[in-house]
Amino acid sequence: MFTGLSAFPHTPLRDDRFDEAAYARLLERLTVAGVDSITALGSTGSYMYLDRDERRRAARAAVQHADSVPVIVGIGALRTSQVQTLADDAQEAGASAVLLAPVTYQALGDDEVVGLFEDVTAGLSVPLVVYDNPGTTHVTFADDLYRRIATLPHVASIKIPGVPADAAGAAARVQAIRDHIPATVTVGVSGDSTAATGLSAGCDAWYSVIGGTLPAPALRITRAALSGDHAAASAESAGLGPLWALFAEHGSYRVTAAIAEHLGLVAPDSLPRPVQGLGAAARAHAAQVVDELRLAD
Amino acid sequence: MFTGLSAFPHTPLRDDRFDEAAYARLLERLTVAGVDSITALGSTGSYMYLDRDERRRAARAAVQHADSVPVIVGIGALRTSQVQTLADDAQEAGASAVLLAPVTYQALGDDEVVGLFEDVTAGLSVPLVVYDNPGTTHVTFADDLYRRIATLPHVASIKIPGVPADAAGAAARVQAIRDHIPATVTVGVSGDSTAATGLSAGCDAWYSVIGGTLPAPALRITRAALSGDHAAASAESAGLGPLWALFAEHGSYRVTAAIAEHLGLVAPDSLPRPVQGLGAAARAHAAQVVDELRLAD
């Protein structure tokens, strides 16, 4: 479950309410395409903006519409007891695993981050993916923090930020992480533009933003890289250059929502305010990239 | 209401539940001391860690135990609709004003921050304090952002971060802010160690962490500075040097909780996990500072 392509779908809103019908459409694309797992309620899935009831409904909908594809559910929240409640809800909904980022308001020290993972894993029945997302959590994982958390029970995988752009640097980075964690814990790359490099450098999985909306190109990159055809993976990724440029300029979160809106998969204005969708020019540009590169096919 | 000392009490937990009896004890100290306003559910009050029901109960308790002191209630949350709900709850609880920080998970642009304040102020019946707290929100307010928000209806005050340590630099900073906002909007300093300087430099108010637990020394600084006796304010603040050093090393949030625990006002372990209280050595040091400087008198 913690190898290959894990697709992170958007959790669409319509008039500020969870749009389950649109969510089912997004999930169906993923099962038809044949992704290896679905991670519901990741950052791309707006988890931190949704209340407990919305997250429970999204988790249930994800499991229901995922067919036989394993579903990982994000359980991050600011308070440990809230995370524990969300973990219970996710497991009751049928999640195959959970994803946990150490979300902060007051900055947390390493002992506090470890304490969070200790307290949460102590009550789990399913595996856990550690979510290292410094751009949103403002927590920096040193390799020693990986080590302390990866050796806790139930920890099965680490979602790492993007890797260095050069192959040697990426391989060294992945090896450095592996040297700190048990061999049973997989390493999954995020930062979509670096995924081909990361998979070719030895990552086991790609925790993918764009794979949640455009699974076909994400699967081509993943299958090529994990079969050892690094040149093909790199060429596929290079072909998505205009998309990566949009991500770099506007953030993958807003661009992905705009693409789902452009494709008619979700209603307009599907992000939680105060987050605003792309402006008209960027939106038109994103639509043009998707159409010209035929990314939705 | 938006001048003088606004005291920010800790919201104590006991076994991870809101401890209303301890909260009432904290509030009573503030009314007896004669603070000018009480801001419930600020950062010091752990607002982001509490759920809607806990925040509603804390807001009601604050109003109930504040006697005739005006109560400002923090309504920050990640999603605009959640903020609006919390604003309604605060007003129903009897809040005299609300306090709003643009809390982020995904980074927000200036237009999104302004949009949040527009949407929230449109539904308010009470005044609003703008909460500029970059350390926790990761939003940077340029002066032009102050201008755009301060001209919205209901905006009555801005809580700014600490000012420069030198009197001339602090005065220039306060004047620069004033040049961007309506004359009716007050400026309140935070960053407790810079409060004497900020008040002497022309700030109207001190939004005070330590004032929520140790109101007496905070009031001495405030009264001296606002009466024009800048030397006395500065001397009072200098006398609290050991406390400011603890704040600088461990953060005011954890130190203040440790002080309230040391004074027996709240139960041990009163912060929301994963946040951990001070370690034994720092805790003993904080207790020593409070006792030796007789700060609780």
Side-chain angles (χ1 to χ4, degrees):
Chain A
M1 182 186 350
F2 307 107
T3 57
L5 180 70
S6 191
F8 280 53
H10 176 36
T11 310
L13 302 182
R14 180 191 287 262
D15 300 329
D16 201 55
R17 290 165 190 275
F18 171 50
D19 185 351
E20 184 168 340
Y23 195 51
R25 281 194 291 276
L26 287 170
L27 288 161
E28 197 192 348
R29 286 169 67 81
L30 306 182
T31 58
V32 167
V35 301
D36 299 301
S37 68
I38 293 168
T39 302
L41 298 170
S43 290
T44 307
S46 301
Y47 73 106
M48 277 301 291
Y49 298 90
L50 307 178
D51 66 23
R52 181 185 173 188
D53 184 58
E54 290 168 324
R55 290 172 72 163
R56 193 158 38 187
R57 287 168 53 214
R60 284 181 190 160
V63 171
Q64 182 190 336
H65 295 288
D67 286 343
S68 58
V69 178
V71 173
I72 306 168
V73 173
I75 59 170
L78 284 168
R79 183 158 152 204
T80 300
S81 55
Q82 293 165 340
V83 177
Q84 290 168 323
T85 298
L86 293 164
D88 292 343
D89 289 348
Q91 290 174 98
E92 251 173 55
S96 296
V98 293
L99 172 77
L100 178 58
V103 188
T104 59
Y105 179 74
Q106 298 285 347
L108 295 177
D110 280 4
D111 288 348
E112 292 170 318
V113 173
V114 172
L116 168 69
F117 281 91
E118 282 175 342
D119 289 344
V120 172
T121 54
L124 280 183
S125 307
V126 299
L128 178 140
V129 180
V130 178
Y131 192 0
D132 175 7
N133 194 358
T136 57
T137 65
H138 308 283
V139 170
T140 300
F141 277 80
D143 290 346
D144 187 61
L145 187 54
Y146 281 151
R147 180 190 60 72
R148 294 175 68 186
I149 293 173
T151 47
L152 294 173
H154 298 287
V155 173
S157 185
I158 302 178
K159 174 183 180 295
I160 66 168
V163 294
D166 65 300
R173 179 73 199 111
V174 174
Q175 189 56 51
I177 295 171
R178 287 211 192 279
D179 289 345
H180 285 81
I181 64 174
T184 49
V185 174
T186 72
V187 176
V189 68
S190 65
D192 282 7
S193 65
T194 77
T197 305
L199 290 166
S200 297
C203 286
D204 309 283
W206 175 13
Y207 293 109
S208 175
V209 173
I210 201 60
T213 301
L214 303 174
L219 276 166
R220 287 196 295 271
I221 292 172
T222 306
R223 299 291 179 248
L226 292 183
S227 72
D229 191 347
H230 300 168
S234 178
E236 280 284 353
S237 181
L240 300 182
L243 185 61
W244 307 148
L246 279 165
F247 279 19
E249 188 171 353
H250 305 289
S252 61
Y253 180 62
R254 291 169 180 81
V255 172
T256 303
I259 290 172
E261 292 169 12
H262 166 64
L263 295 176
L265 297 167
V266 308
D269 209 14
S270 64
L271 291 171
R273 291 293 165 107
V275 178
Q276 293 177 13
L278 295 187
R283 186 173 292 272
H285 187 189
Q288 185 190 1
V289 167
V290 169
D291 294 346
E292 288 186 356
L293 298 181
R294 306 179 61 91
L295 297 182
D297 295 350
Chain B
M1 182 184 355
F2 307 108
T3 58
L5 180 69
S6 192
F8 280 53
H10 176 35
T11 309
L13 302 183
R14 179 191 288 262
D15 300 329
D16 201 57
R17 290 166 191 275
F18 170 50
D19 184 352
E20 185 169 340
Y23 195 51
R25 280 193 292 275
L26 286 170
L27 289 160
E28 195 191 349
R29 286 169 66 80
L30 306 182
T31 57
V32 167
V35 302
D36 299 302
S37 68
I38 293 168
T39 302
L41 298 170
S43 289
T44 306
S46 301
Y47 74 105
M48 278 301 292
Y49 298 90
L50 307 179
D51 67 21
R52 180 185 173 188
D53 183 58
E54 290 168 323
R55 290 171 71 163
R56 194 160 34 188
R57 288 169 52 215
R60 285 182 190 159
V63 171
Q64 183 190 335
H65 295 288
D67 286 342
S68 58
V69 179
V71 174
I72 306 168
V73 173
I75 59 171
L78 284 167
R79 184 158 152 205
T80 301
S81 55
Q82 293 165 341
V83 177
Q84 290 168 322
T85 298
L86 292 164
D88 292 344
D89 289 349
Q91 290 174 99
E92 252 173 56
S96 296
V98 294
L99 172 78
L100 178 58
V103 189
T104 59
Y105 179 75
Q106 299 284 347
L108 295 177
D110 280 3
D111 288 348
E112 293 171 315
V113 173
V114 172
L116 168 68
F117 281 90
E118 282 175 344
D119 289 344
V120 172
T121 53
L124 280 183
S125 307
V126 299
L128 178 140
V129 179
V130 178
Y131 192 1
D132 176 7
N133 194 357
T136 57
T137 65
H138 308 284
V139 168
T140 300
F141 277 78
D143 290 346
D144 188 61
L145 187 54
Y146 282 151
R147 181 190 59 75
R148 293 175 68 186
I149 293 173
T151 47
L152 294 173
H154 297 287
V155 174
S157 185
I158 302 179
K159 175 184 178 295
I160 65 167
V163 294
D166 65 299
R173 179 72 199 111
V174 174
Q175 189 56 51
I177 295 170
R178 288 213 191 278
D179 288 346
H180 284 82
I181 64 175
T184 50
V185 174
T186 72
V187 176
V189 68
S190 64
D192 282 6
S193 65
T194 76
T197 307
L199 290 167
S200 297
C203 285
D204 309 283
W206 175 13
Y207 294 108
S208 174
V209 173
I210 201 60
T213 302
L214 303 173
L219 276 167
R220 286 195 294 271
I221 291 172
T222 307
R223 298 290 178 250
L226 292 183
S227 72
D229 191 347
H230 300 168
S234 178
E236 281 283 354
S237 182
L240 300 182
L243 184 63
W244 307 148
L246 279 165
F247 278 19
E249 187 171 354
H250 305 288
S252 62
Y253 180 62
R254 290 169 180 81
V255 172
T256 303
I259 291 173
E261 293 169 11
H262 166 63
L263 296 176
L265 297 167
V266 308
D269 209 13
S270 64
L271 291 171
R273 291 293 163 105
V275 178
Q276 294 176 11
L278 294 186
R283 186 174 292 272
H285 186 189
Q288 185 191 1
V289 167
V290 169
D291 295 345
E292 288 185 357
L293 298 181
R294 306 181 60 91
L295 298 181
D297 295 350

